[in-house]
Structures are given as structure tokens and as C-alpha cells.
Amino acid sequence: MVFENMLTMQGMMFFFVIVGFIVRKRGIVGTTGRLNMVDLCLYVLLPFNIFHAFLVQPHHDVWKPVVMTVLLSVLYNMISVASAFLLYKKTDEEKRKPLRYGTIVSNGGFLGNPVIESIYGTSGLLYASVFMLPVRVVMWSVGVSCFLPGQKKNVLKKVVTHPCIVSIYLGLIVMFLPVSWPDFFTRAVEGLSSANTPMSMMLIGMMLAEMDPRGLIDRTMVFYAAVRLVLIPAVVFALTAFLPVDPVLRGITVIMAGMPAPVTTALLSSKYHGDERYATGMIFLSTLLSLLTLPLWCLVLG
């Protein structure tokens, strides 16, 4: 059933990606418009998508899977950080910056939420949102340090004030308040939440339309894609096999661990003197290959 849901989701995602690709190629949306749509998705739609997952009636044992999800996320982050700093030592510094960042940070927040929601439903999205909390902390600390070694200024502020993190705080408060929310409010939140998937997938299509893959792909990039999409989730899969973990939480952890490179890889490379073109290639290659690897991981998970 999980595999069938994943195939359905991948088909739908691919359709949205094609629509976004065509829209960008035909100039219906320009570069400025696409950048504005990224902000709309990251700062409005995705936070509402996360918040919507918390509009459920909590049960007495909800904290046990939440705590387990946080611990699994910490395990994943330890694996990804270790992989990032053990690998790529012989790579040029400009390329090493995006390679390390893209190994530590995945596209879990942007792409992972709609994928998890399609497979495991609203409850899965709740745990995926909690899973991303430690990931965000690592993203804005260890991840950014790949570009800014030794600079820790404003890292804590960026973490605690990120809209996706704030939506988790608010969601936890709302979930445990003994309040029956009006129908217009829950429907409005649901409407904004449901817009996240098509918007995020079309944006990926637009980004792919702006990329020129010719001459970008080399052996190191292929190796990176294998690490990001296969090695890290495989290590997570193997380790969790020896732990008393609920199959749903294990599946969420493995799938989130196998997400492609995030868009911020290219943005930070551009801002902090990394190889922006190479980072773009990483996003291009890993995103396309993930259309194959994610369904395979769902098949492995059963």
C-alpha cells in the first residue's frame, strides 16, 4: 500500500514539475516571480502545511512517538554530519562547501512534507514536522558553518524565528488547547496547506528549467547523489532495524533521510563564494534521481 501511494505521489509530483517547467520555459513566470513564489512557499504555505498537521485531537500516548521522532532525527543528523566531514576531503574548497552542506541538509522541509503526507496522511505529516525541528537547528548551525567557518552570529535567532519552527510551536500549543476551532478557520488552514504540494513541485520544475546540465555532472557529483539518496538512508534503515521503532516512524525517518539536495545549497553558494553552478548541478541531478530512489525506498520499507 505504501509503495502504491508513493508511485501515485511521484506521478502527481512529476506532473506538477512538468507544469512548472513549461510555465518557466514559456516565460509565464520570470526569475523575479519565481523567487517571490519561493518566499511565498517557504514563509506562508509550508508553515501552514506544518500547522495543519497539529489540528488534531491528541491522544494520551502522543508524546511517546513525538519523543521517538526527535531521537530518530538526532540519529539522522549525526549520520549526515559525519558523512559530510568524512567525505569530500580531496575536493576543491569551492565545491566542498556545497557538497558538505548538501550532505548535511536535505530537501526534507520543502519536498519531504508533501511526500510524507501523501504516504502516511496527516499523522505522518505531524511527525515529519517534528522530525524537521532538529534538522532546522543543524541546518542553521553546522550546515551554514560549511560556508562560514567559525561564524556563529545570529544562528540561534535564525533557528527560533524561522516560520517553519514557529508553526511547530504554535501547532503544539493549539493541539493541546481545549478549544473547538471554528469551521472557517480549519478550512482556511486546510486550503493553504493543500496548496503547498503543487506550488513546491511547480517551483522545482521552474528551477530545473533555469538550469543547464551540460558539463555540470562529474564523478564527484554522482558520488554525492549516491551518498545523499542511497548511503545515508541505507545507514538509517540498517540502524533502525535494531531499534524498537514503530514502522511508520521508521519509514518517515528513512524517506526524509533520502531526500535530494535543497535549493538553499545554490543560494548559499552564491552568497558565500561557493561554486554556485556546481551546487545547481547537485540539485538538478539529485532531484531527478530521487524520482527513482524514493519509490524504491518505499518498496524496501514494505
Side-chain angles (χ1 to χ4, degrees), residues 31-59:
T31 302
T32 302
R34 197 265 297 167
L35 292 173
N36 291 336
M37 290 171 69
V38 169
D39 289 340
L40 175 65
C41 192
L42 288 176
Y43 298 118
V44 180
L45 299 182
L46 182 55
F48 270 104
N49 181 253
I50 294 171
F51 181 77
H52 177 251
F54 290 89
L55 293 181
V56 295
Q57 291 295 325
H59 45 84

Short mmCIF file of all heavy atoms in Angstrom, two decimals, residues 31-59:
data_model
loop_
_atom_site.label_atom_id
_atom_site.label_comp_id
_atom_site.label_asym_id
_atom_site.label_seq_id
_atom_site.Cartn_x
_atom_site.Cartn_y
_atom_site.Cartn_z
N THR A 31 12.10 35.26 -13.56
CA THR A 31 13.01 34.95 -12.45
C THR A 31 12.55 35.60 -11.15
O THR A 31 12.51 34.97 -10.10
CB THR A 31 14.44 35.43 -12.77
OG1 THR A 31 14.88 34.80 -13.98
CG2 THR A 31 15.39 35.09 -11.64
N THR A 32 12.18 36.88 -11.23
CA THR A 32 11.72 37.58 -10.02
C THR A 32 10.44 36.95 -9.48
O THR A 32 10.30 36.75 -8.26
CB THR A 32 11.47 39.07 -10.33
OG1 THR A 32 12.66 39.67 -10.82
CG2 THR A 32 11.01 39.80 -9.07
N GLY A 33 9.52 36.63 -10.36
CA GLY A 33 8.28 35.99 -9.94
C GLY A 33 8.53 34.64 -9.29
O GLY A 33 7.90 34.30 -8.27
N ARG A 34 9.48 33.89 -9.84
CA ARG A 34 9.80 32.58 -9.27
C ARG A 34 10.40 32.72 -7.88
O ARG A 34 10.07 31.98 -6.95
CB ARG A 34 10.75 31.83 -10.21
CG ARG A 34 10.83 30.33 -9.94
CD ARG A 34 11.99 29.99 -9.04
NE ARG A 34 13.26 30.33 -9.65
CZ ARG A 34 14.41 30.36 -8.95
NH1 ARG A 34 14.41 30.12 -7.66
NH2 ARG A 34 15.54 30.68 -9.55
N LEU A 35 11.29 33.71 -7.71
CA LEU A 35 11.89 33.94 -6.40
C LEU A 35 10.83 34.35 -5.38
O LEU A 35 10.87 33.94 -4.22
CB LEU A 35 12.97 35.01 -6.50
CG LEU A 35 14.23 34.61 -7.29
CD1 LEU A 35 15.15 35.81 -7.44
CD2 LEU A 35 14.95 33.47 -6.60
N ASN A 36 9.87 35.18 -5.82
CA ASN A 36 8.78 35.57 -4.93
C ASN A 36 7.91 34.38 -4.55
O ASN A 36 7.43 34.27 -3.41
CB ASN A 36 7.92 36.65 -5.58
CG ASN A 36 8.64 37.98 -5.72
OD1 ASN A 36 9.57 38.26 -4.99
ND2 ASN A 36 8.22 38.79 -6.68
N MET A 37 7.71 33.46 -5.50
CA MET A 37 6.92 32.26 -5.22
C MET A 37 7.65 31.34 -4.24
O MET A 37 7.00 30.66 -3.43
CB MET A 37 6.62 31.53 -6.52
CG MET A 37 5.64 32.29 -7.42
SD MET A 37 5.47 31.55 -9.07
CE MET A 37 4.62 30.02 -8.67
N VAL A 38 8.98 31.31 -4.31
CA VAL A 38 9.76 30.53 -3.33
C VAL A 38 9.52 31.06 -1.93
O VAL A 38 9.28 30.31 -0.99
CB VAL A 38 11.26 30.56 -3.68
CG1 VAL A 38 12.09 29.98 -2.53
CG2 VAL A 38 11.53 29.78 -4.95
N ASP A 39 9.57 32.40 -1.80
CA ASP A 39 9.31 33.02 -0.49
C ASP A 39 7.89 32.73 -0.02
O ASP A 39 7.67 32.46 1.17
CB ASP A 39 9.53 34.53 -0.57
CG ASP A 39 11.00 34.91 -0.72
OD1 ASP A 39 11.85 34.06 -0.39
OD2 ASP A 39 11.29 36.03 -1.18
N LEU A 40 6.93 32.79 -0.94
CA LEU A 40 5.54 32.50 -0.58
C LEU A 40 5.41 31.08 -0.04
O LEU A 40 4.72 30.83 0.95
CB LEU A 40 4.64 32.69 -1.80
CG LEU A 40 3.16 32.31 -1.62
CD1 LEU A 40 2.48 33.23 -0.61
CD2 LEU A 40 2.43 32.36 -2.96
N CYS A 41 6.10 30.16 -0.70
CA CYS A 41 6.03 28.76 -0.29
C CYS A 41 6.72 28.54 1.05
O CYS A 41 6.18 27.89 1.94
CB CYS A 41 6.65 27.87 -1.37
SG CYS A 41 6.33 26.12 -1.15
N LEU A 42 7.93 29.09 1.20
CA LEU A 42 8.72 28.85 2.40
C LEU A 42 8.17 29.56 3.63
O LEU A 42 8.25 29.03 4.74
CB LEU A 42 10.17 29.29 2.17
CG LEU A 42 11.01 28.42 1.24
CD1 LEU A 42 12.39 29.04 1.03
CD2 LEU A 42 11.15 27.01 1.80
N TYR A 43 7.62 30.75 3.43
CA TYR A 43 7.23 31.57 4.58
C TYR A 43 5.72 31.61 4.83
O TYR A 43 5.29 32.15 5.85
CB TYR A 43 7.77 32.99 4.40
CG TYR A 43 9.27 33.05 4.36
CD1 TYR A 43 9.94 33.51 3.23
CD2 TYR A 43 10.03 32.61 5.43
CE1 TYR A 43 11.33 33.54 3.18
CE2 TYR A 43 11.42 32.64 5.39
CZ TYR A 43 12.06 33.11 4.27
OH TYR A 43 13.42 33.13 4.22
N VAL A 44 4.92 31.03 3.93
CA VAL A 44 3.47 31.03 4.13
C VAL A 44 2.89 29.62 4.00
O VAL A 44 2.36 29.06 4.96
CB VAL A 44 2.76 31.99 3.14
CG1 VAL A 44 1.24 31.95 3.39
CG2 VAL A 44 3.27 33.41 3.30
N LEU A 45 3.01 29.05 2.81
CA LEU A 45 2.33 27.77 2.55
C LEU A 45 2.91 26.63 3.37
O LEU A 45 2.16 25.83 3.95
CB LEU A 45 2.40 27.45 1.05
CG LEU A 45 1.73 28.46 0.11
CD1 LEU A 45 1.82 27.98 -1.33
CD2 LEU A 45 0.28 28.70 0.51
N LEU A 46 4.24 26.51 3.41
CA LEU A 46 4.85 25.42 4.17
C LEU A 46 4.57 25.55 5.67
O LEU A 46 4.22 24.54 6.32
CB LEU A 46 6.35 25.38 3.90
CG LEU A 46 7.14 24.25 4.58
CD1 LEU A 46 6.54 22.89 4.25
CD2 LEU A 46 8.61 24.30 4.18
N PRO A 47 4.68 26.73 6.28
CA PRO A 47 4.30 26.84 7.69
C PRO A 47 2.84 26.47 7.96
O PRO A 47 2.54 25.81 8.96
CB PRO A 47 4.55 28.32 8.01
CG PRO A 47 5.64 28.71 7.08
CD PRO A 47 5.35 27.96 5.81
N PHE A 48 1.94 26.86 7.07
CA PHE A 48 0.53 26.47 7.24
C PHE A 48 0.37 24.96 7.05
O PHE A 48 -0.46 24.32 7.70
CB PHE A 48 -0.38 27.23 6.27
CG PHE A 48 -0.89 28.52 6.82
CD1 PHE A 48 -0.36 29.74 6.40
CD2 PHE A 48 -1.92 28.53 7.74
CE1 PHE A 48 -0.84 30.94 6.91
CE2 PHE A 48 -2.41 29.72 8.27
CZ PHE A 48 -1.86 30.93 7.85
N ASN A 49 1.15 24.39 6.15
CA ASN A 49 1.13 22.94 5.95
C ASN A 49 1.55 22.21 7.22
O ASN A 49 0.94 21.20 7.62
CB ASN A 49 2.05 22.58 4.79
CG ASN A 49 2.06 21.10 4.49
OD1 ASN A 49 3.04 20.42 4.78
ND2 ASN A 49 1.00 20.59 3.89
N ILE A 50 2.56 22.74 7.89
CA ILE A 50 3.02 22.15 9.15
C ILE A 50 1.98 22.36 10.25
O ILE A 50 1.64 21.44 10.99
CB ILE A 50 4.37 22.78 9.56
CG1 ILE A 50 5.46 22.39 8.55
CG2 ILE A 50 4.76 22.35 10.97
CD1 ILE A 50 6.77 23.14 8.75
N PHE A 51 1.47 23.57 10.34
CA PHE A 51 0.49 23.91 11.38
C PHE A 51 -0.77 23.05 11.26
O PHE A 51 -1.35 22.61 12.26
CB PHE A 51 0.13 25.40 11.27
CG PHE A 51 -0.86 25.86 12.31
CD1 PHE A 51 -0.44 26.10 13.61
CD2 PHE A 51 -2.19 26.06 11.98
CE1 PHE A 51 -1.35 26.53 14.57
CE2 PHE A 51 -3.10 26.49 12.93
CZ PHE A 51 -2.68 26.73 14.23
N HIS A 52 -1.17 22.78 10.01
CA HIS A 52 -2.38 21.99 9.77
C HIS A 52 -2.25 20.58 10.36
O HIS A 52 -3.25 20.00 10.80
CB HIS A 52 -2.64 21.90 8.26
CG HIS A 52 -3.82 21.05 7.91
ND1 HIS A 52 -3.69 19.82 7.30
CD2 HIS A 52 -5.15 21.25 8.09
CE1 HIS A 52 -4.89 19.29 7.11
NE2 HIS A 52 -5.78 20.14 7.58
N ALA A 53 -1.05 20.06 10.40
CA ALA A 53 -0.85 18.71 10.94
C ALA A 53 -1.15 18.63 12.42
O ALA A 53 -1.44 17.54 12.94
CB ALA A 53 0.59 18.27 10.68
N PHE A 54 -1.10 19.77 13.12
CA PHE A 54 -1.34 19.78 14.55
C PHE A 54 -2.81 20.01 14.91
O PHE A 54 -3.17 19.98 16.09
CB PHE A 54 -0.48 20.86 15.22
CG PHE A 54 0.98 20.56 15.21
CD1 PHE A 54 1.79 20.96 14.15
CD2 PHE A 54 1.58 19.87 16.26
CE1 PHE A 54 3.15 20.69 14.14
CE2 PHE A 54 2.93 19.59 16.25
CZ PHE A 54 3.72 19.99 15.19
N LEU A 55 -3.66 20.25 13.92
CA LEU A 55 -5.09 20.45 14.18
C LEU A 55 -5.80 19.11 14.32
O LEU A 55 -6.73 18.79 13.59
CB LEU A 55 -5.73 21.29 13.07
CG LEU A 55 -5.27 22.74 12.96
CD1 LEU A 55 -6.00 23.45 11.83
CD2 LEU A 55 -5.51 23.49 14.28
N VAL A 56 -5.32 18.33 15.25
CA VAL A 56 -5.89 17.01 15.52
C VAL A 56 -6.16 16.88 17.01
O VAL A 56 -5.62 17.63 17.82
CB VAL A 56 -4.94 15.89 15.07
CG1 VAL A 56 -4.75 15.91 13.57
CG2 VAL A 56 -3.60 15.99 15.79
N GLN A 57 -7.02 15.93 17.36
CA GLN A 57 -7.28 15.67 18.76
C GLN A 57 -6.17 14.78 19.31
O GLN A 57 -6.01 13.64 18.89
CB GLN A 57 -8.64 14.96 18.92
CG GLN A 57 -9.84 15.84 18.59
CD GLN A 57 -9.98 17.00 19.57
OE1 GLN A 57 -9.69 16.88 20.76
NE2 GLN A 57 -10.41 18.15 19.06
N PRO A 58 -5.38 15.29 20.27
CA PRO A 58 -4.28 14.49 20.79
C PRO A 58 -4.78 13.32 21.65
O PRO A 58 -5.81 13.43 22.30
CB PRO A 58 -3.50 15.50 21.64
CG PRO A 58 -4.52 16.49 22.07
CD PRO A 58 -5.50 16.60 20.93
N HIS A 59 -4.06 12.22 21.62
CA HIS A 59 -4.39 11.11 22.50
C HIS A 59 -3.33 10.98 23.57
O HIS A 59 -2.27 11.62 23.52
CB HIS A 59 -4.53 9.81 21.69
CG HIS A 59 -3.44 9.59 20.70
ND1 HIS A 59 -2.23 9.03 21.01
CD2 HIS A 59 -3.38 9.89 19.37
CE1 HIS A 59 -1.47 8.96 19.94
NE2 HIS A 59 -2.13 9.48 18.92
#
